[in-house]
């Protein structure tokens, strides 16, 4: 089994796009038929989409984790919440623009 699609609802679509681009995602703007304009990324082996939050919805408490390249270069620009060691890796916990916790560790070659 593998992950094929992951969709996040975001209160500030552009801010979320910028945040996840810092982690290495490349997004394109999309709109299907009369649906909302959203952003889609397929450069990591699955489809990761950012959709606008519908007024009747609230932001979820989803927690994400990514292994990224050049972590030391991007951490200073992010909202660092916590950090810990696990399995020989240093893991940083940051927040996305909607307050979701995102765990980041260094991608090893």
């Amino acid at each position: 089994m593998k992950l094929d699609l992951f969709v996040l609802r975001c209160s500030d679509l552009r801010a979320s796009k910028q945040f996840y681009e810092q982690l290495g995602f490349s997004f394109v703007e999309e709109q299907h038929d009369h649906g909302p304009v959203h952003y889609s990324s397929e450069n990591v082996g699955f489809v990761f989409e950012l959709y606008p939050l519908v007024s009747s919805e609230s932001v979820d408490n989803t927690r994400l984790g990514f292994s990224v390249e050049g972590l030391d270069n991007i951490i200073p620009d992010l909202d660092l919440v916590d950090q810990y060691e696990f399995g020989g890796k240093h893991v940083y916990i940051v927040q996305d623009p909607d307050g979701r916790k995102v765990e980041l560790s260094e991608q090893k070659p």
Side-chain angles (χ1 to χ4, degrees):
M1 180 183 314
K2 71 177 189 126
L3 180 67
D4 286 327
L5 172 68
F6 191 80
V7 176
L8 284 181
R9 297 283 182 170
C10 307
S11 60
D12 184 337
L13 201 54
R14 292 196 191 282
S16 293
K17 176 183 173 277
Q18 290 173 340
F19 173 84
Y20 287 102
E21 283 176 335
Q22 287 180 284
L23 305 184
F25 290 93
S26 298
F27 291 97
V28 295
E29 189 176 282
E30 292 186 346
Q31 183 176 20
H32 308 294
D33 295 322
H34 300 290
V37 172
H38 63 281
Y39 294 105
S40 179
S41 175
E42 296 184 35
N43 67 308
V44 293
F46 66 95
V47 179
F48 180 39
E49 295 184 320
L50 304 175
Y51 268 78
L53 193 65
V54 177
S55 61
S56 64
E57 297 176 321
S58 61
V59 174
D60 59 39
N61 196 23
T62 300
R63 188 168 184 152
L64 306 168
F66 298 107
S67 183
V68 299
E69 292 180 17
L71 187 56
D72 291 336
N73 297 327
I74 63 173
I75 284 297
D77 297 327
L78 301 175
D79 182 15
L80 184 62
V81 175
D82 200 2
Q83 51 189 306
Y84 64 91
E85 295 285 332
F86 180 76
K89 290 185 177 181
H90 195 86
V91 179
Y92 295 91
I93 302 171
V94 299
Q95 285 186 311
D96 78 0
D98 285 306
R100 291 182 194 95
K101 291 183 179 174
V102 180
E103 296 190 11
L104 304 175
S105 60
E106 183 76 28
Q107 181 175 354
K108 302 297 179 187

